[in-house]
Amino acid sequence: MSRLNQAALKGLAADVAVPGYDRAQVKTGVVHLGIGAFHRAHQAVVFDDAIKSGDPRWGVLGASLRSPGVRDQLNPQDGLYTLVVRDGSDDHLRVIGACAGVMVGPEDPAALVAAMADTDAHIVTLTVTEKGYRLDPAAGDLLLSDADVAADLVDLAAPRTAPGFIVAALKARRAAGLKPFTVISCDNLPHNGKRIRAGVIAMARRIDPSLADWIEAEGAFPQTMIDRIVPATIPDDIARLTARLGVEDQGMVKAEPFTQWVIEDRFAGERPDFASLGVQLTDAVEPWEDAKLRLLNGAHSAIAYLGALSGYEHVHEVVAVPGFRAYVEALWDEAETTLNPPPGLDIPAYRKALMARFSNAALMHRTRQIAMDGSQKLPQRLLAGAAERLAAAQGIDAIALGVAAWMKWQSGVTESDEIFVVDDPLAAKTSELLADADTDKARVSALLSLSAVFPPALGADDRFAEAVTSAYLSLSQNGAVEAARLVAE
């Protein structure tokens, strides 16, 4: 079977949307670090819309900072891939043409730095997951003890980290007399712009203080909030699309219909006409960010751990269980009290829409996909809200159950005694802590000592410890479904 490529576009069915522009005229205005499924289903679509609108400055060069997998999927396809939007039984297909190709950073770091330093590059976007920023999850400081960070601080000729590539490219732009590019983090990090800015400047200051001063004065790291559910592609998805297209697309992505991008109106140079492309520009991203992290992402994490522990593979299966569905509403009731909704965000309507999105069976969104890297996600998704509610002398039963479910997940055993590998940067540490604890209370206490996850003030708060311990005991005694139902009563 032949692959999707530029030549194959003419043979696709009329109901498949294809790029309607001359791709040879498109410039590379965006370099994206971490070109996984989410970027291809979200930001790349916006840049594709910009090109379609008649602005050819916004082609995307993708870069992987780890494996060559996406490069091997997309480069044989001339950078083309299909976005499959699934809503119920309907699939809407669109071939995205904005991506010019994919580089693999570790294979040729200097080439990636040169691409970022090119005069046509105005924006660098990132989806490298929380751990890719090499920042302490709780404090937000650059992880100086990280081996790759240490290597970048010694020699930036061949960067290894996202902050390292950004600093190296900005150093090259400054030497060439160019303005900085705008750095836009698109990961689910609280204050993501401030965090990547702090990491970049901290690295730059240790290498060249004058470079750090220039970045502080001239650079831009806008806050952002991004929202779209993008489940992992599975072989059946590719087979199904191949039958529809008549060619094979190894780089396809699938997503829900909903999509949202909110960006702080702060840029260092040229940018697309984001407002005309459906992107919301604002002076204050934080209220949008908090609502998304604590309602959508917080519920997703709780659903993932509770559902996977009790044997449910997909999000829609979890929320179809009455006890779990009621629990999600109880979790939202707690989270809602910690929010300061921005104008235009109707929280009751948002909650209703979220439940409908969670119930979309066509997405087949796997609980274990969401459960990955939980130690990096817990602070912003659940712990921040818990701290605010405790400060206001409010209960945290629902939040505590989500935290306890993460703790249970660290054991690597489901309720049906299925053994699995915990996919988390701290998995070795949590396994060690759990091995040394012989009671449920001791297990909770041991995990609460992880300062990389639990801020010391919260981990030492007796009210928090008691709530999480009670939830953990309920999970052990009652199982996830019943524990959730009891919280929701």
Side-chain angles (χ1 to χ4, degrees):
M1 175 67 67
S2 59
R3 295 277 289 273
L4 175 69
N5 56 29
Q6 188 68 33
L9 292 180
K10 295 180 180 179
L12 299 182
D15 63 345
V16 180
V18 299
Y21 50 83
D22 182 357
R23 297 181 74 220
Q25 301 303 311
V26 175
K27 297 181 179 180
T28 302
V30 181
V31 178
H32 182 81
L33 306 182
I35 185 164
F38 188 82
H39 171 75
R40 285 178 277 150
H42 191 278
Q43 304 98 61
V45 181
V46 173
F47 294 123
D48 195 61
D49 286 338
I51 300 167
K52 280 189 170 186
S53 74
D55 188 348
R57 293 175 297 165
W58 302 110
V60 178
L61 173 66
S64 170
L65 301 188
R66 296 185 294 176
S67 73
V70 178
R71 187 270 312 274
D72 296 343
Q73 292 171 352
L74 292 190
N75 285 2
Q77 300 182 177
D78 300 326
L80 297 168
Y81 63 91
T82 310
L83 169 64
V84 181
V85 177
R86 290 187 173 169
D87 185 14
S89 61
D90 295 329
D91 282 358
H92 302 278
L93 310 186
R94 172 180 171 181
V95 177
I96 304 298
C99 182
V102 178
M103 302 178 69
V104 180
E107 291 182 357
D108 194 346
L112 177 53
V113 170
M116 297 166 70
D118 189 86
T119 55
D120 286 337
H122 305 294
I123 294 175
V124 170
T125 51
L126 302 90
T127 49
V128 294
T129 74
E130 292 88 345
K131 62 188 176 185
Y133 290 82
R134 313 300 175 103
L135 303 174
D136 181 277
D141 298 329
L142 187 67
L143 288 173
L144 300 177
S145 61
D146 181 274
D148 290 335
V149 170
D152 283 352
L153 290 172
V154 171
D155 183 7
L156 270 184
R160 300 184 185 183
T161 67
F165 275 105
I166 292 170
V167 171
L170 288 174
K171 181 180 180 182
R173 292 179 76 90
R174 180 177 179 236
L178 299 175
K179 295 176 65 175
F181 43 66
T182 299
V183 179
I184 306 180
S185 165
C186 300
D187 282 295
N188 286 319
L189 284 168
H191 317 301
N192 51 16
K194 292 179 182 177
R195 285 194 170 222
I196 185 60
R197 180 181 186 272
V200 166
I201 290 174
M203 180 173 285
R205 193 160 299 286
R206 287 174 172 268
I207 293 169
D208 179 352
S210 67
L211 174 62
D213 292 341
W214 179 74
I215 296 171
E216 281 189 311
E218 304 292 335
F221 300 77
Q223 309 282 95
T224 64
M225 187 277 282
I226 44 90
D227 191 0
R228 190 170 215 178
I229 296 174
V230 183
T233 300
I234 60 177
D236 183 63
D237 295 323
I238 295 174
R240 180 175 168 181
L241 181 62
T242 297
R244 178 95 173 261
L245 294 180
V247 292
E248 187 176 45
D249 180 358
Q250 289 286 339
M252 68 154 286
V253 291
K254 59 182 180 181
E256 64 170 336
F258 181 90
T259 184
Q260 185 180 33
W261 196 359
V262 182
I263 308 179
E264 181 185 10
D265 195 359
R266 183 190 302 272
F267 296 84
E270 295 181 35
R271 67 182 186 190
D273 184 1
F274 277 124
S276 72
L277 302 171
V279 177
Q280 294 166 268
L281 295 173
T282 180
D283 292 332
V285 171
E286 287 87 349
W288 294 94
E289 175 185 81
D290 287 345
K292 193 249 180 174
L293 285 170
R294 297 182 189 181
L295 294 177
L296 187 152
N297 297 121
H300 251 170
S301 287
I303 286 168
Y305 297 118
L306 292 167
L309 283 169
S310 51
Y312 291 97
E313 291 189 26
H314 302 104
V315 171
H316 71 274
E317 296 167 343
V318 178
V319 296
V321 177
F324 281 143
R325 194 180 189 95
Y327 163 76
V328 171
E329 295 288 353
L331 181 66
W332 285 340
D333 287 343
E334 291 184 2
E336 187 174 336
T337 68
T338 72
L339 302 177
N340 179 27
L345 179 58
D346 182 332
I347 294 294
Y350 184 57
R351 286 174 54 163
K352 184 177 180 181
L354 283 179
M355 190 62 79
R357 293 165 66 189
F358 291 168
S359 302
N360 186 352
L363 290 178
M364 303 294 284
H365 200 183
R366 297 179 65 248
T367 53
R368 294 195 183 191
Q369 177 190 352
I370 302 168
M372 295 168 58
D373 299 339
S375 66
Q376 309 290 299
K377 300 172 180 176
L378 226 61
Q380 58 267 25
R381 296 187 178 195
L382 294 173
L383 303 184
E388 289 191 26
R389 282 186 63 86
L390 289 172
Q394 297 172 328
I396 58 166
D397 290 349
I399 295 175
L401 184 62
V403 175
W406 171 79
M407 291 180 167
K408 276 284 186 185
W409 188 252
Q410 302 314 298
S411 70
V413 182
T414 69
E415 292 177 357
S416 62
D417 294 325
E418 177 196 350
I419 297 174
F420 61 88
V421 176
V422 177
D423 193 340
D424 190 288
L426 294 183
K429 182 61 177 178
T430 58
S431 178
E432 175 188 335
L433 291 171
L434 290 172
D436 291 337
D438 56 2
T439 67
D440 280 351
K441 187 173 182 179
R443 293 180 186 102
V444 172
S445 180
L447 292 175
L448 287 179
S449 70
L450 281 169
S451 60
V453 179
F454 300 97
L458 184 63
D461 189 318
D462 290 341
R463 297 169 300 167
F464 182 71
E466 289 170 6
V468 175
T469 300
S470 177
Y472 194 99
L473 290 170
S474 183
L475 286 171
S476 295
Q477 296 164 6
N478 302 308
V481 175
E482 181 63 7
R485 188 192 68 79
L486 290 170
V487 166
E489 278 188 340

